[in-house]
Amino acid sequence: MSRFARGLSITALGLVVAACRSQSNEPVFRTTTTVKEVMKLMVEPSADILWNAVATSVTATGTEVKAPESDEEWTDVQRAAVVLTEAMNLVIMPGRRIAPAGATSEHPDVELQPDQIEALVSRDRATWATLARGLQDAGSIALKAIEARDVDALADAGEAIDTACEHCHLKYWYPNKKKP
């Protein structure tokens, strides 16, 4: 290889490295919604589907068990479990705000204001991520139950999801709640 070609190759390599280095300072993701919106539009509806997928009712005519039966019903429950589980990746993304600027709590008698929640999360992002991973773990339990079409395990997963949600809410949304 000639000196000119070698010099040109080294220059090109340097430009590629410089371009990669300048791009690495850019955020990889752009957030377009807040945690509050992800929760309201993705997590809550998905959790509701999972919690309502299995139910036992005792009536005058006997005991009725509601559970997914058809492939379509199982797919609907699976979709909800995937959305709930993957939404936690969105929730922990750096730069995602808790709520839109100027937003206030819908239940100020129970929960903190969004700016207070944001301050708690900012001070301890590691715990925030750990609690989000707890909900992912519960969602994974639901996905395994769905794959096995195990109604009892799906009901247990619903309890695990509820527990994971409550752990986070007690830490960030209503940490001053009096425990019974």
Side-chain angles (χ1 to χ4, degrees):
M1 177 184 286
S2 73
R3 286 170 99 177
F4 176 75
R6 193 173 323 145
L8 189 58
S9 295
I10 291 170
T11 301
L13 180 61
L15 289 172
V16 168
V17 169
C20 290
R21 192 172 290 150
S22 70
Q23 288 177 354
S24 68
N25 292 333
E26 296 292 319
V28 177
F29 303 106
R30 288 185 293 168
T31 60
T32 57
T33 59
T34 65
V35 169
K36 184 176 180 176
E37 292 161 325
V38 170
M39 295 304 239
K40 182 178 181 180
L41 300 172
M42 296 175 75
V43 175
E44 290 175 15
S46 297
D48 286 341
I49 289 169
L50 292 164
W51 287 325
N52 295 322
V54 179
T56 303
S57 302
V58 179
T59 66
T61 59
T63 302
E64 298 173 13
V65 176
K66 176 188 175 264
E69 293 177 9
S70 69
D71 289 344
E72 184 179 347
E73 290 172 333
W74 280 105
T75 298
D76 288 344
V77 175
Q78 180 185 32
R79 184 179 299 112
V82 167
V83 169
L84 175 120
T85 303
E86 289 297 333
M88 291 302 96
N89 290 320
L90 299 176
V91 164
I92 64 171
M93 284 175 61
R96 185 172 309 279
R97 301 287 314 259
I98 293 297
T104 58
S105 170
E106 294 173 18
H107 308 286
D109 53 320
V110 176
E111 64 187 21
L112 299 178
Q113 293 298 326
D115 60 334
Q116 294 172 302
I117 297 167
E118 185 114 25
L120 288 173
V121 169
S122 294
R123 278 196 296 264
D124 191 2
R125 295 224 28 110
T127 299
W128 175 250
T130 298
L131 291 170
R133 298 282 185 250
L135 185 52
Q136 281 185 317
D137 293 344
S140 294
I141 293 168
L143 285 166
K144 287 177 185 166
I146 293 162
E147 184 179 320
R149 294 194 176 202
D150 184 334
V151 173
D152 292 333
L154 183 56
D156 292 343
E159 289 182 39
I161 290 166
D162 183 58
T163 299
C165 290
E166 195 61 17
H167 279 115
C168 185
H169 294 175
L170 283 169
K171 173 82 174 159
Y172 296 105
W173 265 251
Y174 35 88
N176 302 323
K177 181 179 176 181
K178 302 274 191 275
K179 296 179 181 159

